[in-house]
Amino acid sequence: MEDKSEVNPEGSSGDEQPNPAVTKLKEKLDSNFANLGFTYFMTDSIPSVLVPKESLHDLCQFLNEDVLYDSKMLSCMAGVDYIDYCQIFYVLYSIENNFTVGVKCNSEYGLKIPTVSDIWKAADWYEREIHDLYGIEFDGNEDMSPLLLYDGFEGYPGKKDFPFYDYQEY
Amino acid sequence: MMQDQSENQTVDMMLNMGPQHPSTHGVFRMELQIDGEKIIDVKPHIGYLHRGSEKLSEGEQYHQVVTLFDRLDYLANFNNELVYCMAVERLLEIEPSKRTEYIRLILCELNRIASHLLYVGTIGLDAGAMTPALFSFIGRDRIQTLFESISGARMMHNYFKIGGLRQEVPEDFVQTVKNIIPSIRKDIDETEKLLTFNEIFLSRTKDIGLITAEQAINYGLTGPCLRGSGVAYDVRKSEPYSVYKDFDFDIPVGLDGDCWDRHWVRVKEMHESLKIIEQAINNLPDGDVESPLGRRLIRPAAGEVYVKAENPRGEIGVYLVSDGTDKPYRLKVRPPSFCNLSAIQLLLKNSWIADSVVILGSLDIVLGEVDR
């Protein structure tokens, strides 16, 4: 019995039976991105891949242009604080094929993640929001002015170590 | 020195619009760079209503978070409650009863109509027509009175519970819904007659605020804003959740992706919602609306889910990470208005100041969910 209080950042999948959608995604990506340290798993019902941040932009470009995955829409982009590192979860959606694929990327605090706002314009505001809440920098996205917070706000309120019932005078 | 320059040379001016401007539909500010009446550049500023709902939910127990979702898109409370309840139910692997699902769906569709009626009223105000707002509020009031009889509140209902409903609907619920359907249909038609094909309204909205399908998808637009550009994407059809697959309805789509198309799609959608409500109320199953969990504390196993649903403003997504405790580890909302509003720069560039109000109105944003 595994310890339930621990968060498993690689999703709720198990090692038991690889899902056919995951196998399909792995086969597709192996032709272009073999031996780059990708991990494949299911996030809920979404076939997902965990990528090192060096390959993130290339992979997103590939999924955007690929005929099968055709991820023309960036549906959601979420940052999750796992204390030691921050995980960014990209939900990519193809309206044409009605297909969702998830991309995850881990980044330690203080390091930069390549931007995907040149592929999807929607990423621009999401990245600014994640920068506000987690302090993650996005390489290539110049405008990182506060979006949800105000100029001069101290700290990153999305992070777990941010005091919960504290407030700052504006 | 001045004489050397061309005689037509003008100086760009910065115009501040908002945050307390009546046509910005809330606390939204735009820095407009204008040359005469023409908008050269726009810098949108949001965050005036940022309450940290996502962070707050990390400190609340699962059943308490429903109230925070009421306050995101405060014009479509039931739709927000539904998507959160669906996310937790998926995490817990429980299914609400058929009767619960039907009542939820009826309330969500009524809420969609109420939200769109408010939109029709406000776009009229934005375009300079006062009367449609008065008519559309009559219809909205009918729906809100019904909501009040069910949940005790006209807004912020806190009525959906994880796995069920907070209480059974009143005895006369079915009859009341059946009675108000023709009245709402009349209200929609009256409002539409005043506005949709009005010549002044057409000249204010046709070919204004154009966005192509490719651009709309790239900016992550969903809901009527995307369907106005001719993309028939609706979560209720593409990935039917709840009991939507039991019902017969169409997805209206626009042609050009201008303000008028976005308006037309919303008006047609209200009629489709009425179709769904009619089918659902005539086949409302008997049974229980109590949650299978009872009053137990909710502690889902560690895991994560991504759930999406179709709100009046577009696709709402909830990414919920659980660590096995009684509080969410992380809850991220993908608000439809947030993405729809991000295209404002593209839409407003090279348009006129007078049109900017109509373009913003046609996106139908709710700042409560943009800022969260």
Side-chain angles (χ1 to χ4, degrees), chain A residues 10 13 15 22 25-26 29-30 33 36-42 47-52 59 102-104 106:
Chain A
E10 291 184 10
S13 73
D15 306 313
V22 174
L25 180 69
K26 187 176 187 318
L29 294 186
D30 266 352
F33 300 95
L36 285 171
F38 287 13
T39 323
Y40 299 87
F41 49 88
M42 289 295 276
S48 312
V49 53
L50 179 72
V51 296
L59 177 77
V103 175
K104 287 185 176 185
N106 292 340

Side-chain angles (χ1 to χ4, degrees), chain B residues 27-45:
Chain B
V27 276
F28 171 60
R29 182 163 76 93
M30 291 187 287
E31 260 178 50
L32 304 177
Q33 205 71 36
I34 50 173
D35 177 11
E37 288 276 308
K38 195 140 207 129
I39 298 170
I40 311 285
D41 199 11
V42 190
K43 204 172 170 219
H45 292 274

Side-chain angles (χ1 to χ4, degrees), chain B residues 72-88:
Chain B
L72 290 178
D73 181 351
Y74 43 75
L75 299 177
N77 317 85
F78 280 129
N79 299 66
N80 285 335
E81 288 178 23
L82 175 70
V83 69
Y84 172 71
C85 289
M86 283 192 331
V88 184

Side-chain angles (χ1 to χ4, degrees), chain A:
Chain A
M1 189 80 190
E2 62 176 69
D3 185 9
K4 282 196 169 176
S5 66
E6 207 152 280
V7 182
N8 177 14
E10 291 184 10
S12 46
S13 73
D15 306 313
E16 327 86 45
Q17 200 67 39
N19 190 293
V22 174
T23 323
K24 210 171 135 195
L25 180 69
K26 187 176 187 318
E27 277 167 13
K28 180 82 191 174
L29 294 186
D30 266 352
S31 56
N32 291 56
F33 300 95
N35 306 322
L36 285 171
F38 287 13
T39 323
Y40 299 87
F41 49 88
M42 289 295 276
T43 307
D44 188 14
S45 57
I46 304 171
S48 312
V49 53
L50 179 72
V51 296
K53 53 178 167 289
E54 295 77 35
S55 342
L56 177 71
H57 191 272
D58 291 342
L59 177 77
C60 287
Q61 191 88 51
F62 175 79
L63 288 171
N64 179 261
E65 285 161 8
D66 184 64
V67 185
L68 184 65
Y69 286 97
D70 188 48
S71 308
K72 290 281 182 276
M73 189 193 265
L74 175 68
S75 221
C76 183
M77 197 171 152
V80 189
D81 177 26
Y82 287 110
I83 315 295
D84 300 330
Y85 60 93
C86 184
Q87 185 175 72
I88 317 284
F89 179 40
Y90 301 77
V91 183
L92 315 180
Y93 184 70
S94 160
I95 291 177
E96 199 73 22
N97 304 339
N98 188 15
F99 194 86
T100 314
V101 60
V103 175
K104 287 185 176 185
C105 180
N106 292 340
S107 167
E108 277 164 31
Y109 288 105
L111 296 177
K112 280 187 174 183
I113 289 187
T115 180
V116 289
S117 58
D118 52 333
I119 307 171
W120 299 285
K121 285 282 193 326
D124 187 24
W125 275 24
Y126 282 132
E127 286 175 358
R128 279 172 69 185
E129 185 195 324
I130 290 170
H131 178 252
D132 272 8
L133 301 181
Y134 297 95
I136 300 283
E137 296 275 346
F138 288 89
D139 203 7
N141 191 344
E142 285 93 29
D143 183 17
M144 275 290 156
S145 54
L147 187 71
L148 295 180
L149 306 178
Y150 50 85
D151 282 316
F153 187 91
E154 281 171 30
Y156 301 107
K159 285 166 84 167
K160 287 280 169 188
D161 57 7
F162 189 83
F164 204 87
Y165 296 103
D166 201 14
Y167 68 94
Q168 291 175 18
E169 291 289 342
Y170 177 59

Side-chain angles (χ1 to χ4, degrees), chain B residues 70 73 75-83 104 107-111 147 150-151 153 157-160 311:
Chain B
D70 271 332
D73 181 351
L75 299 177
N77 317 85
F78 280 129
N79 299 66
N80 285 335
E81 288 178 23
L82 175 70
V83 69
R104 280 180 179 182
L107 294 176
C108 283
E109 290 305 320
L110 281 169
N111 214 160
F147 288 169
I150 293 163
S151 67
H157 313 289
N158 192 16
Y159 182 62
F160 294 179
N311 259 24

